[in-house]
């Protein structure tokens, strides 16, 4: 419903104690500072260059990015469910219930949400991992390799446009995932990413592992040496694109190191002689040239070390994704085994098995399935997906007042902004109905996301 008469309600936050955000306008202007208030029609913004807070009509605002002051609970165990919606939303939480008509999800940012089955395309399950770091949060938590700096933190992201390194210590577990969003100018993605480093004061530590992105290829080597682990891998998409989600999975137990780009496994390297005593806690991002580079949404989490797929080199070759360092070397191309796909209607377990059945209950991280032979109960985290009963799918209508939001845990969702009360945003979605969202969980809010001629008023 329209609430144009809503009063602006100021959000409780101290500007001096927070990292700056960024507001962007449709004419290309942008302004760093902090959002102080929000209604369905206006946004109030404070900035060092403004004498006093200014009010802006949301019709002229593209988006607001801000460092979230509230992250998902630490030490979370069990499972995480990710609901993929018909309108492109991806919403994370824990399964609380499932029927033929609805799916209930416990979320840390809006409590329990109930989703209509006809709006849910799929349900993916992963093991909830301990989160050891999310950021960047401020420039003070990082160590710059050069005295004159070179890196800044703006709008919850690390920025540089000069050759420079930046690092910090992290509590790396023996098996971990390191993920971040990167954006760059086309053809210029050439950073070095160093982890398990022995020295954060230098961009060339004596021990650790580093991924070197170089033109069309990526290679993994031991820091402080010229020892390559395996061969370089082609990464042509990084040459032609301008952004990507990079994920590194590392296991000191097995010596395996995996690189994912936008969810695709590019390569797996192995070190048969891991020397734990030489390794440290350093994590570095090193820019190798003067091209602009932006790093955001950095997350270090635990990994169970389970490898369930192999890099599909044939597919990359067939689409012409080969570049500098790709070695044809007279060898026949390997035939990669196809990733095993479970028969239709069966749920995939994390050990590779599959099972068919009807979900009859979800309680305290346990799921009960009625199968053709018996009823079984086991932890939800052992599953990789939930099979939903067929339904005539629906896509929510695009409504005036819809915003697109990104939360600290990676959830992305569209809802109609109905107002602000205290530290909560009030919204409505055809996917889940009315909800109250914790304002401090948001990283980005996009406004005016549709063509006005296609809206429902």
């Amino acid at each position: 419903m329209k609430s144009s008469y809503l009063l602006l309600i100021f959000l409780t936050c101290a500007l001096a104690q927070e990292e700056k955000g960024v507001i962007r306008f449709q004419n290309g202007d942008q302004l760093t500072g902090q959002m102080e208030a929000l209604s369905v029609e206006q946004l109030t913004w404070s900035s060092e260059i403004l004498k006093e807070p200014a009010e802006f009509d949301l019709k002229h605002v593209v988006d607001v990015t801000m460092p979230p002051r509230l992250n998902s609970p630490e030490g979370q165990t069990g499972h995480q469910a990710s609901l993929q919606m018909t309108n492109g939303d991806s919403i994370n939480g824990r399964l609380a219930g499932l029927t033929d008509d609805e799916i209930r999800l416990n979320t840390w940012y809006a409590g329990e949400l109930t989703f209509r089955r006809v709006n849910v395309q799929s349900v993916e399950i992963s093991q909830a991992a301990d989160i050891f770091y999310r950021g960047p949060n401020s420039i003070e938590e990082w160590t710059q390799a050069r005295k004159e700096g070179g890196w800044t933190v703006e709008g919850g992201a690390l920025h540089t446009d000069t050759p420079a390194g930046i690092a910090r210590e992290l509590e790396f577990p023996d098996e971990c995932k390191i993920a971040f969003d990167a954006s760059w100018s086309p053809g210029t993605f050439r950073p070095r990413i160093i982890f398990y480093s022995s020295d954060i004061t230098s961009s060339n530590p004596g021990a650790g592992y580093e991924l070197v992105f170089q033109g069309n290829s990526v290679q993994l080597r031991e820091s402080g040496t010229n020892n390559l682990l395996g061969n370089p891998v082609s990464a042509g998409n990084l040459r032609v694109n301008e952004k990507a989600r990079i994920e590194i999975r590392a296991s000191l137990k097995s010596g395996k190191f995996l690189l994912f780009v936008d969810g695709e496994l590019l390569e797996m390297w192995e070190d048969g002689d891991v020397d734990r005593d030489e390794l440290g806690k350093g994590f570095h991002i090193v820019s190798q040239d003067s091209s602009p580079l932006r790093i955001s949404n950095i997350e270090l989490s635990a990994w169970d070390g389970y490898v369930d797929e192999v890099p599909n080199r044939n597919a990359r070759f067939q689409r012409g994704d080969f570049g500098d360092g790709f070695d044809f070397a007279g060898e026949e191309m390997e035939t990669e085994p196809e990733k095993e796909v479970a028969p239709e209607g069966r749920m995939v377990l994390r050990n590779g098995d599959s099972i068919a059945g009807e979900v009859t209950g979800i309680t305290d991280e346990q799921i009960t399935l009625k199968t053709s032979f018996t009823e079984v109960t086991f932890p939800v985290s052992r599953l990789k997906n939930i099979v939903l009963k067929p339904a005539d799918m629906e896509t929510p209508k695009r409504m005036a007042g819809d915003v697109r939001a990104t939360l600290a845990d990676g959830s992305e969702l569209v809802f109609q902004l109905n107002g602000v009360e205290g530290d909560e945003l009030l919204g409505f979605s055809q996917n889940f109905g009315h909800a109250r969202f914790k304002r401090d969980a948001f990283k980005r809010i996009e406004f005016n996301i549709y063509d006005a001629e296609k809206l429902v008023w």
Side-chain angles (χ1 to χ4, degrees):
M1 74 181 174
K2 302 183 72 173
S3 305
S4 58
Y5 56 88
L6 284 177
L7 296 176
L8 289 176
I9 302 177
F10 284 82
L11 306 174
T12 55
C13 58
L15 176 63
Q17 296 178 353
E18 298 173 4
E19 189 59 41
K20 296 177 182 177
V22 177
I23 182 173
R24 295 193 305 155
F25 300 93
Q26 292 185 345
N27 67 354
D29 291 347
Q30 67 178 44
L31 187 64
T32 59
Q34 177 63 42
M35 185 172 71
E36 288 198 358
L38 179 68
S39 75
V40 295
E41 294 183 341
Q42 287 185 320
L43 182 153
T44 304
W45 191 260
S46 291
S47 175
E48 293 178 354
I49 68 172
L50 299 175
K51 185 176 181 180
E52 57 186 25
E55 295 179 354
F56 298 103
D57 193 317
L58 291 182
K59 292 186 295 185
H60 306 303
V61 178
V62 174
D63 63 11
V64 171
T65 57
M66 46 200 169
R69 298 186 301 279
L70 185 65
N71 290 321
S72 54
E74 297 279 339
Q76 181 172 300
T77 59
H79 80 280
Q80 175 177 278
S82 179
L83 273 55
Q84 308 302 314
M85 312 301 295
T86 56
N87 67 342
D89 288 358
S90 178
I91 305 173
N92 300 324
R94 296 190 187 190
L95 285 176
L98 187 152
T99 69
D100 291 349
D101 300 319
E102 63 183 33
I103 299 169
R104 292 185 290 116
L105 198 68
N106 278 325
T107 70
W108 59 276
Y109 47 82
E112 184 173 289
L113 299 176
T114 300
F115 297 84
R116 301 170 67 226
R117 163 67 186 98
V118 294
N119 297 134
V120 182
Q121 283 190 326
S122 64
V123 180
E124 300 172 2
I125 306 295
S126 60
Q127 288 184 321
D130 287 338
I131 305 299
F132 295 90
Y133 174 76
R134 278 197 178 107
N137 303 298
S138 69
I139 196 65
E140 287 75 24
E141 67 182 16
W142 295 83
T143 297
Q144 306 233 28
R146 304 187 330 180
K147 291 183 179 179
E148 61 272 27
W151 287 84
T152 60
V153 171
E154 297 177 9
L158 286 162
H159 297 259
T160 189
D161 57 3
T162 188
I166 195 166
R168 62 159 294 147
E169 287 193 346
L170 297 175
E171 293 296 330
F172 287 105
D174 284 349
E175 295 182 310
C176 69
K177 293 181 182 179
I178 309 161
F180 57 88
D181 291 331
S183 58
W184 62 92
S185 299
T188 64
F189 190 59
R190 300 179 61 249
R192 291 161 51 219
I193 307 298
I194 308 173
F195 47 99
Y196 290 114
S197 156
S198 60
D199 181 6
I200 65 171
T201 65
S202 170
S203 292
N204 296 289
Y209 295 96
E210 59 183 89
L211 274 172
V212 182
F213 295 84
Q214 193 78 24
N216 300 334
S217 66
V218 189
Q219 61 189 34
L220 180 69
R221 69 188 183 197
E222 297 178 39
S223 296
T225 74
N226 292 319
N227 296 335
L228 295 181
L229 298 175
N231 296 314
V233 59
S234 61
N237 284 347
L238 296 178
R239 181 185 70 250
V240 298
N241 293 341
E242 299 179 33
K243 61 180 181 179
R245 180 69 174 174
I246 308 293
E247 181 178 305
I248 303 162
R249 298 184 188 179
S251 172
L252 299 185
K253 296 179 180 179
S254 66
K256 293 180 178 179
F257 301 88
L258 288 71
L259 172 64
F260 292 79
V261 176
D262 290 331
E264 178 186 0
L265 175 60
L266 288 192
E267 188 57 280
M268 180 174 68
W269 297 273
E270 292 191 51
D271 182 359
D273 188 23
V274 175
D275 189 347
R276 296 168 181 259
D277 294 336
E278 294 292 327
L279 302 175
K281 300 180 179 180
F283 173 67
H284 307 238
I285 304 168
V286 183
S287 170
Q288 300 188 87
D289 56 32
S290 298
S291 301
L293 177 63
R294 182 180 188 272
I295 304 293
S296 61
N297 299 332
I298 303 171
E299 182 175 281
L300 171 65
S301 61
W303 176 42
D304 61 7
Y306 181 64
V307 179
D308 61 352
E309 59 181 309
V310 295
N312 192 343
R313 302 183 184 91
N314 273 350
R316 295 202 304 273
F317 178 82
Q318 290 169 3
R319 67 176 181 242
D321 183 10
F322 52 85
D324 302 341
F326 193 89
D327 184 13
F328 297 94
E331 296 184 5
E332 294 185 6
M333 290 181 57
E334 298 179 11
T335 301
E336 300 293 350
E338 294 184 2
K339 187 177 179 180
E340 184 176 349
V341 178
E344 185 176 355
R346 298 181 68 86
M347 304 181 206
V348 181
L349 299 170
R350 293 190 61 79
N351 66 355
D353 293 341
S354 64
I355 187 171
E358 177 185 351
V359 178
T360 60
I362 299 174
T363 306
D364 297 331
E365 296 288 341
Q366 300 289 313
I367 187 169
T368 301
L369 298 179
K370 181 181 180 181
T371 72
S372 59
F373 53 89
T374 188
E375 189 173 84
V376 294
T377 300
F378 53 88
V380 181
S381 59
R382 289 181 59 187
L383 286 169
K384 298 185 70 175
N385 72 309
I386 299 288
V387 173
L388 303 175
K389 285 195 173 181
D392 294 329
M393 307 305 290
E394 296 180 6
T395 300
K397 296 178 180 179
R398 297 180 172 186
M399 307 290 289
D402 279 357
V403 299
R404 182 181 293 111
T406 303
L407 288 87
D409 70 349
S411 295
E412 296 182 354
L413 61 156
V414 171
F415 61 91
Q416 188 173 23
L417 178 63
N418 288 336
V420 181
E421 290 185 2
D423 60 356
E424 293 182 322
L425 271 62
L426 280 59
F428 171 81
S429 167
Q430 295 168 67
N431 283 332
F432 51 77
H434 292 279
R436 306 175 73 95
F437 299 94
K438 296 178 180 178
R439 183 264 185 187
D440 289 351
F442 288 85
K443 296 177 62 176
R444 183 186 185 196
I445 303 177
E446 301 172 67
F447 304 93
N448 306 300
I449 59 178
Y450 304 132
D451 183 341
E453 296 180 356
K454 299 179 181 179
L455 291 178
V456 176
W457 296 88

